[in-house]
Amino acid sequence: MNRITGKTKEATLIEMSNTQHSRIEGNGSIDAVSGRRIQLPGHMEIDKFEQNRDSVYFRDGIRRIDFVLSYVDDKDGDKKAERRREFEANLERAGLELETEDKSGSDDRKTHYLKIHAPWEVLATYADVLKIKVPFKESDIFPKAQEGPQEWFARPFRLPDNIMTPEPDYFTATFDNSKLDFFLIEDKETFFPPSTRNRIVYYILTRCPYYKEDRLEKDKTGIKRLLNNGTYTSAYPLHDCRYWKKSKDMQCESERFHLYKNWARFLCFYKEQPLNLIKKYYGEKIGIYFAWLGFYTEMLFFAAVMGLICFVYGVLSYEDNITSKEICDSEIGGNIVMCPLCDKKCSYWKLNSTCLSSWQSHLFDNEGTVFFAMFMGIWVTLFLELWKRRQARLEYEWDLVDFEEEQQQLQIRPEFELKCTHSRLNRITQEMEPYLPLSSKCASFCLSGATVLFWTFLIVASVMGVIAYRLAVYAAFASVMKDSSTSKIQLVGSLINPQLATSVTASFINFVTILVLNFLYEHVAIWITDMEIPKTHLEYENKLTTKMFMFQFVNYYSSCFYVAFFKGKFVGHPGNYTYMFGKWSGLRNEECDPGGCLIELSTQLVIIMAGKQMVGNVQEALLPLLKNWWGSRKGRSHPECTYSRWEQDHDLQNFSQFGLFYEYLEMVIQFGFVTLFVASFPLAPLLALFNNILEVRVDAWKFTTQFRRPVAAKARNIGAWQEILNVVAILSVVTNAFIVAFTSDMIPRLVYLYAYHPGSKATMLGYIENSLSFYNISQIPFDNQPEPEENPSWFNRSTFTTCSYRDYRHPPGHEKQYTHTMQFWHILAAKLAFIIIMEHVVFVVKFFVAWLIPDIPSEVKARIKRERYLVQEYLHNYEVEKLKIQLSHSFSFCTETASLLPTSPNKHKVLSQVI
């Protein structure tokens, strides 16, 4: 195909439109040369007072509104008006047609609206520039018929065919303005769908200057700068109708109504998503997000079922928990005196006081935990591999197979072109292009890296602050609750203890800190990414994605990593405790909850995960609803015919360029909670499943009812998020192996069961006493001893000479007293062996599954090859037929010329010269 560069096309279009453009002012148009009003051929003038303003057409009822700009008059009116005049004049030179709605007809009597229409010549030229694929022949490759026996089961979950497949399947080829008769163009006004039209117009808007022709000010370019400096207040394409009812105009598609009825309502939560209609209305980029979210939710169902089975196993094996029975037994746990958990304010306590927490811990810390951790390692691989297959199928169905290669050079950001003062020759295109010098790249990279590191250290500092809070407050809670003053509280009194109070309050403080740091860092990340001046939109998104995820990874998961892998691991032992900032601080390192650190990790996970989901749903649904209700309070009192379509959409919330980014980020952070720490809380996939069922419909409702229509954009995959998910998947195997080995008590129990049990029969009897070490109370340093008034009434130094603590050390009086026993090293070896075995088993299965499941289904590969073959064949036949016609015309012309020549000996010589 014959291709020319985008700039050449645009220049050609501007030159062509200089003699043809017209400014629409009312019912007709003004001829650019004569200045007389002209009437569109074949159309009657429409009285604007009789016209229904709830329409997506110009006042002539024919030309579609492809984009709307709004502005208000303010104190800088003259300066902004000058910018608008130049900008709109340049838009007209680019071939766009404009129509203005004065503020006197607007709802607030302040806002002007500029409606933009792209005629066929503009659409055809820029479709060629943007290499948009369009149909040229109806497809003869029919989809595989669904099997009959499954049809009855799937029928309740299906949507009507006209919703699932809103348009026929065609063979498509890149649009070429010189081959119009090759494509299936029945009606030029409807050939390009509204999503393609608004994408083309937005492309023009972002590159159109607002300086005069005789002045070259490169920075004065694009609608984004005009929005930033307040020249225009908003820019948006229109929804095609109100969401709760169809448009009265029969030419209007009413796709928004169909999306609301079949997708955005919560009652449709069990129905499949109309992905083809979503793609057609919002564009491929939003369509691929909802396809991924829906697939992720489907896969969560299997993880949730397995997690629920593991939890039920923990409940059913409740009575077989010998360890908890020994703790609760007044003759065993009631006679074991434990050493103080903090200095001065913490007293001696009996092991049976942790009876309830030990039972709670058993619900998550049982034999099913190991199986579920391994299952999730395989599940995450299946999820990622099957998503690649689903994504490949969507790429084929949505004509995105060759998108990346074709669009790479077309995605240059206007900001890059404006801020780069240097240019160089592109070796491929042999054209001059802007570029950023290496020195500038290094400077921005260093500043960006330093900023990210600073904020990462700030998160670590905040986590350490929360840890210090836990250490300081635990002693206070222990002192306040020493007489069980909360036990009189009905229902929950018996559940409250110093450990639980400290853990819950610290988790909430940590969650609030996370929200505050997120809010601040979002602005910083955008600022430093803008400063780096990425060349393409894809590069910009990838840089921002990496920065935001790195920050949120540390922000959300650091406290969970602390509880899982650091808390209780570096405590020391009585007489030789370890302190956080040195002994002078008085902040002794935390010990695990008497029930183990796993139950505390579960508490931390539930609070942060559930809290994030609740806050996210409020931000996504409630805030836009309240803002839109307040913004449209005047328009609701107007008759439907006078509350215009552009005003209705103006009252909605703007969908920013980062809107989809935050949706992905929210789900990927949730994916991290579900996979990284799932061994500590098997119900996490179930909570995520319930949230995502709601999330799909909330996002659909928000897009359809609360936000302006986004500018359509293409994307063939989920971008940098795919690699992030792969990294999280690999890391999840490691974290879950370490959680089972070091956070759970599974390995120590198994070592005792098979190596240290009393008698000849494997049993867990006596495990509690075996897992505790003893220390001589008289040898405890004065600084570590509780104050006399803190000791409980039952404690008597003459009666109790030793206290117990969780560790494997030799007892007092032994020749190696207070040093680790051989059992400690056996357990440590078993933990390391378990980590190595589990990781290798899961990774081998992961790689085998990844190898076994091809990324692209064989059926899709065959269809892609066949379609490419047919496209080449049809193009070849088209070129041959075109050449035949040209030769036929040439031959006819030569024959006519020869017949007109006089008979002479030189007739053939003259004819050959003509040819």
Side-chain angles (χ1 to χ4, degrees), residues 770-791:
N770 176 268
S771 64
L772 297 175
S773 298
F774 302 95
Y775 197 87
N776 194 332
I777 292 178
S778 61
Q779 295 178 349
I780 296 178
F782 176 78
D783 291 339
N784 299 137
Q785 292 181 5
E787 296 175 352
E789 63 272 14
E790 299 294 339
N791 287 325

Side-chain angles (χ1 to χ4, degrees), residues 210-255:
Y210 54 92
Y211 53 79
K212 294 182 179 180
E213 292 182 4
D214 56 342
R215 299 172 61 186
L216 297 178
E217 301 169 272
K218 287 187 63 178
D219 61 327
K220 293 186 175 181
T221 301
I223 187 62
K224 291 182 180 179
R225 290 184 63 85
L226 292 172
L227 291 172
N228 291 336
N229 59 34
T231 303
Y232 291 99
T233 56
S234 60
Y236 52 94
L238 292 180
H239 284 294
D240 58 6
C241 66
R242 300 187 180 215
Y243 66 84
W244 64 86
K245 65 179 180 180
K246 292 184 177 180
S247 173
K248 293 182 179 179
D249 193 331
M250 297 303 295
Q251 294 179 331
C252 195
E253 301 85 359
S254 296
E255 292 172 348

Side-chain angles (χ1 to χ4, degrees), residues 598-771:
L598 195 72
I599 189 66
E600 188 167 351
L601 178 59
S602 303
T603 304
Q604 183 92 355
L605 190 65
V606 170
I607 290 176
I608 296 179
M609 184 176 174
K612 182 181 184 301
Q613 291 177 351
M614 286 190 294
V615 171
N617 287 330
V618 169
Q619 287 180 336
E620 290 184 12
L622 188 58
L623 291 181
L625 183 65
L626 293 176
K627 290 180 180 178
N628 289 336
W629 174 84
W630 181 256
S632 63
R633 63 193 184 282
K634 294 181 179 179
R636 290 193 301 271
S637 62
H638 290 186
E640 177 181 316
C641 62
T642 61
Y643 191 28
S644 64
R645 163 66 30 217
W646 47 91
E647 288 179 290
Q648 294 174 39
D649 287 8
H650 181 266
D651 291 338
L652 298 178
Q653 294 298 301
N654 181 46
F655 186 78
S656 69
Q657 60 174 326
F658 304 113
L660 208 57
F661 167 81
Y662 292 124
E663 301 292 346
Y664 273 118
L665 184 61
E666 178 186 7
M667 288 296 102
V668 171
I669 292 296
Q670 183 206 79
F671 179 80
F673 282 123
V674 168
T675 55
L676 292 174
F677 308 102
V678 73
S680 68
F681 188 56
L683 294 181
L686 186 64
L687 290 181
L689 176 64
F690 288 147
N691 175 80
N692 286 10
I693 291 174
L694 179 64
E695 180 76 19
V696 171
R697 304 303 159 176
V698 167
D699 285 349
W701 172 82
K702 179 179 62 177
F703 272 79
T704 308
T705 66
Q706 303 302 308
F707 280 95
R708 298 169 186 163
R709 185 174 183 172
V711 178
K714 282 184 175 289
R716 65 178 299 182
N717 50 43
I718 61 175
W721 300 111
Q722 184 77 40
E723 293 303 320
I724 289 175
L725 291 175
N726 289 332
V727 172
V728 173
I730 294 173
L731 185 61
S732 67
V733 177
V734 179
T735 56
N736 283 303
F738 272 83
I739 287 173
V740 174
F742 288 98
T743 310
S744 165
D745 281 339
M746 182 61 59
I747 303 301
R749 289 202 296 262
L750 291 176
V751 171
Y752 176 82
L753 179 65
Y754 293 107
Y756 288 90
H757 64 273
S760 59
K761 184 179 179 181
T763 178
M764 289 301 295
L765 292 173
Y767 169 74
I768 289 301
E769 292 186 2
N770 176 268
S771 64

Side-chain angles (χ1 to χ4, degrees), residues 248-275:
K248 293 182 179 179
D249 193 331
M250 297 303 295
Q251 294 179 331
C252 195
E253 301 85 359
S254 296
E255 292 172 348
R256 186 189 188 192
F257 166 77
H258 293 303
L259 286 171
Y260 175 74
K261 180 181 178 182
N262 298 282
W263 177 52
R265 295 187 302 167
F266 183 73
L267 294 178
C268 300
F269 72 92
Y270 62 94
K271 296 279 190 179
E272 60 184 337
Q273 296 188 86
L275 295 178

